[in-house]
Amino acid sequence: MVSSFLYSLAGILLLVSFIKDKSKTKKSIIIAWKSFEKLLPTVLAMMLFIGITLSVLNQSVITTLIGSKSGVLGAIIALIMGSIVTIPSFVAFPLGGALLKAGAGYMQVAALVSTIMAVGFVTLPAEIKYFNKDIAIKRIVLSFMICVVFTAVIGMVM
Amino acid sequence: MKLLKVYKWALLFFSVQIVIFFINNTIGKNAFDITLSNLEEMILLIPPIFIIMGLMDTWVPKETLIRYMGHGSGATGLLIAFTLGTVAAGPLYVAFPMGTLLLKKGAKLSNVIFFLGVWSSTKLPIVLFEAASLGVNFTLIHIAITIPLYILIAFYIEKSVSKEAISLIVANAN
């Protein structure tokens, strides 16, 4: 649904742009293609890496590591696991839900899903390429700290 | 040769998958299937986002963006960064080129960092999904904690980065 909305929006904007100014539209498409080319090597490597990780670590292995009895250590493991991998959020949340049902704790699931979304060591090279080392590393470290705070709060209240 | 260098990590992980397949067929096939389905998702989502970005780059005048997201844009700038990050779709790495584009057009670094923070925690389609899978309370706590903290780190990073460093990023973006 999201993607059909995006495609319609892009299509309409492209059409309006084309009617108004052909050369500007051509330039826009070249810019879009260049950004895509720049992103592709990192994304391909990342997808292959995640494929390996998720196939080796199946759900039962994950539940042993971060079950509700795993406590703070489990939360730390979840924070680290989530920081390494970046998977689509619509895979991450049902995974979190499934882990809860399979016996994982709220604190550990909070640690996992928040870092999956906000902290990506696999995408760090891309972030450095687009910004710079200083900004990328500061952003990742501080985002990680936000996830730690969130995990701690969930651990206390839920 | 240059292509080989650019794709060295992809080639390495691909070789690892092939090796895994020969050691254990099921795990190897699984790894390949997961990779393929994730790639499929990306290939579907990225083209329209990048087209919209390309159009923004050529059509939105720098002056407009500076006025709404540049220095002195204050709360309006944060609000726009929040809206851009919320309505977005896609994983965080899609937001990086968008962030550089905003910088190039004269947006303040703090607004760009806040935009990335919102993108990585409270995208609208994802929030609905989060509430459905993990509960409304969980989701509300997530938003209530991350948004104010992201504003703080956005200002901190803005303060700690020199103007020269930002001009260099803008120069590299072209």
Side-chain angles (χ1 to χ4, degrees):
Chain A
M1 199 208 80
V2 177
S3 68
S4 53
F5 167 74
L6 280 172
Y7 272 94
S8 328
L9 183 68
I12 293 166
L13 291 175
L14 206 58
L15 194 68
V16 174
S17 168
F18 188 76
I19 293 166
K20 280 191 145 179
D21 190 329
K22 271 186 194 163
S23 74
K24 260 192 175 178
T25 310
K26 205 179 147 198
K27 210 178 137 202
S28 309
I29 292 173
I30 292 171
I31 291 169
W33 175 251
K34 274 192 180 158
S35 318
F36 181 70
E37 250 187 337
K38 205 169 161 187
L39 196 62
L40 195 59
T42 321
V43 170
L44 262 182
M46 195 181 72
M47 300 288 183
L48 287 158
F49 175 75
I50 291 162
I52 296 167
T53 320
L54 291 183
S55 64
V56 175
L57 293 176
N58 57 31
Q59 195 158 311
S60 71
V61 177
I62 296 175
T63 320
T64 326
L65 286 173
I66 61 168
S68 54
K69 290 194 193 78
S70 60
V72 176
L73 185 67
I76 293 171
I77 293 173
L79 281 168
I80 295 170
M81 286 203 310
S83 301
I84 295 169
V85 298
T86 300
I87 55 176
S89 333
F90 60 79
V91 178
F93 288 125
L95 175 73
L99 290 172
L100 278 180
K101 282 200 194 88
Y106 264 105
M107 181 166 70
Q108 292 81 2
V109 169
L112 189 70
V113 294
S114 62
T115 45
I116 281 178
M117 288 179 73
V119 186
F121 279 109
V122 238
T123 49
L124 188 62
E127 189 167 353
I128 290 174
K129 214 161 32 175
Y130 280 105
F131 297 96
N132 64 31
K133 221 182 206 158
D134 178 43
I135 295 178
I137 288 175
K138 270 183 193 151
R139 202 198 64 80
I140 278 208
V141 170
L142 293 168
S143 300
F144 182 78
M145 283 159 65
I146 292 182
C147 296
V148 172
V149 173
F150 170 60
T151 303
V153 172
I154 290 285
M156 281 184 281
V157 300
M158 288 189 86
Chain B
M1 207 51 220
K2 198 183 155 236
L3 215 63
L4 203 68
K5 206 179 152 221
V6 171
Y7 286 97
K8 63 173 186 279
W9 286 105
L11 286 169
L12 175 75
F13 291 133
F14 189 60
S15 322
V16 172
Q17 290 204 352
I18 293 172
V19 172
I20 291 177
F21 182 76
F22 280 114
I23 297 170
N24 183 329
N25 284 3
T26 337
I27 295 182
K29 201 182 164 298
N30 238 336
F32 190 69
D33 286 344
I34 294 169
T35 308
L36 215 61
S37 75
N38 280 342
L39 261 181
E40 226 178 81
E41 179 239 352
M42 180 202 90
I43 299 293
L44 255 163
L45 212 57
I46 283 185
I49 296 177
F50 278 36
I51 293 272
I52 294 170
M53 242 164 56
L55 290 169
M56 256 174 78
D57 199 346
T58 47
W59 284 103
V60 178
K62 206 173 165 177
E63 299 71 40
T64 317
L65 216 121
I66 290 177
R67 184 154 20 109
Y68 290 111
M69 290 186 84
H71 287 275
S73 60
T76 319
L78 282 176
L79 197 68
I80 294 176
F82 181 81
T83 314
L84 280 177
T86 312
V87 298
L92 185 60
Y93 54 80
V94 177
F96 299 149
M98 195 95 107
T100 339
L101 169 66
L102 291 173
L103 272 184
K104 191 175 123 191
K105 290 275 178 189
K108 256 170 77 173
L109 183 62
S110 59
N111 284 336
V112 174
I113 300 288
F114 183 54
F115 159 74
L116 292 178
V118 175
W119 183 302
S120 68
S121 58
T122 50
K123 275 174 307 195
L124 204 55
I126 296 311
V127 165
L128 300 176
F129 217 41
E130 181 174 357
S133 328
L134 300 173
V136 175
N137 284 347
F138 185 95
T139 310
L140 288 179
I141 296 173
H142 192 192
I143 296 173
I145 289 177
T146 46
I147 294 302
L149 289 178
Y150 269 121
I151 294 182
L152 277 182
I153 75 164
F155 281 114
Y156 164 71
I157 291 180
E158 154 110 39
K159 265 223 157 83
S160 73
V161 173
S162 68
K163 287 215 168 59
E164 291 73 37
I166 294 174
S167 338
L168 205 67
I169 295 170
V170 171
N172 280 340
N174 291 319

